[in-house]
Amino acid sequence: MEPSRAVKGVKKINKIRPRQSFVYFCVSYLLVFPVFRLLFRGKTIGITKLPKVGGIVVVSNHGSHLDPPILGHALGRPVAFMAKSELFRIPILSKIISACGAYPVKRGAGDREALRTASNRLIDGWATGVFLDGTRQENGRVNDPKAGAALLAARTGCPILPVAIVNSHRAFPKGSLLPRFVSIHLKVGELIQPPPTRKREDLTSTTKEIQLAINSMLDKGLIQQIRN
């Protein structure tokens, strides 16, 4: 696999930035902040690589249920994730997750609907989160990447930001009922250009670049440097 062609200057970053709601501020700084920064000794590396405005596809590995709220807090701007539509029927929870950028996707709904909703979020200036494997991975790595993130970028022209979440799979293993308070670090990579077309070969090539970028960040001694 060839090295990532990540670039520092991306052609299209619009200047739109959704307003951070009061609810998001409370959830991020009163709830997630003490959990991530204190209990899990959280640290974010390379945060200056994240554009502060405009739609951007935030792509990461997925090791535990801790990942969505940690990404939304640690990156310093809300990150929109899709969530089951059933969650939006719970009055208080619905207001909280909506304020934090979540958008509903019906169980069994086609990929087209989810793709259209995510594309609209990007056009509105949101940082929109995608887990490259789609589901949690027991080893915390990107093992079976899907092309959804690359397709989103190709549809909207928005750049891709690879993010490695180190150790969340150890902090809250799949199937575990209680967390283990080990350190969790986030490593932000260089921006990657969206695919030039929506052709399969272009989507596949970009998806492999993202996978390489994330797994390379996981491999650069970060896990060994984190105390269990």
Side-chain angles (χ1 to χ4, degrees):
M1 190 180 298
E2 296 296 326
S4 171
R5 56 179 174 85
V7 294
K8 294 183 179 179
V10 177
K11 296 178 181 177
K12 181 179 180 180
I13 299 179
N14 61 45
K15 300 301 181 182
I16 303 173
R17 181 175 182 176
R19 185 176 180 180
Q20 295 182 1
S21 69
F22 178 71
V23 174
Y24 164 79
F25 179 86
C26 291
V27 171
S28 180
Y29 291 97
L30 299 182
L31 180 60
V32 183
F33 176 86
V35 171
F36 175 58
R37 302 290 180 178
L38 301 179
L39 295 182
F40 291 107
R41 305 186 296 281
K43 182 178 180 182
T44 305
I45 303 165
I47 190 63
T48 57
K49 298 170 185 175
L50 168 69
K52 299 301 182 183
V53 297
I56 185 167
V57 185
V58 177
V59 188
S60 76
N61 54 313
H62 192 17
S64 80
H65 290 309
L66 297 170
D67 298 336
I70 284 177
L71 273 174
H73 163 74
L75 295 183
R77 57 179 292 191
V79 180
F81 285 95
M82 67 176 64
K84 295 182 293 184
S85 59
E86 291 86 348
L87 298 178
F88 290 83
R89 298 172 189 165
I90 305 172
I92 297 178
L93 180 61
S94 175
K95 292 183 180 297
I96 292 175
I97 61 178
S98 294
C100 293
Y103 52 93
V105 176
K106 295 180 181 178
R107 186 185 298 272
D111 291 338
R112 288 175 181 265
E113 180 182 344
L115 186 62
R116 182 168 54 250
T117 302
S119 297
N120 289 337
R121 288 282 171 155
L122 286 167
I123 293 169
D124 288 340
W126 280 88
T128 300
V130 178
F131 295 120
L132 202 56
D133 284 298
T135 59
R136 289 171 293 157
Q137 303 294 303
E138 291 186 3
N139 65 357
R141 296 177 61 79
V142 177
N143 300 304
D144 184 25
K146 307 298 188 296
L151 180 56
L152 268 178
R155 281 172 58 100
T156 61
C158 291
I160 299 162
L161 184 75
V163 178
I165 307 176
V166 185
N167 242 19
S168 72
H169 69 293
R170 294 175 177 171
F172 202 177
K174 190 174 182 179
S176 177
L177 297 178
L178 295 174
R180 298 166 52 211
F181 296 118
V182 300
S183 297
I184 298 177
H185 286 187
L186 265 70
K187 178 70 181 290
V188 180
E190 301 287 352
L191 289 173
I192 295 175
Q193 289 277 13
T197 73
R198 302 183 198 178
K199 294 180 179 179
R200 178 176 295 181
E201 56 267 30
D202 288 331
L203 298 180
T204 299
S205 176
T206 299
T207 300
K208 289 181 178 179
E209 289 184 30
I210 304 168
Q211 179 187 22
L212 177 60
I214 294 173
N215 283 343
S216 293
M217 287 188 284
L218 292 173
D219 289 337
K220 287 181 179 178
L222 291 176
I223 291 179
Q224 286 80 1
Q225 294 170 10
I226 295 177
R227 294 183 303 160
N228 287 333

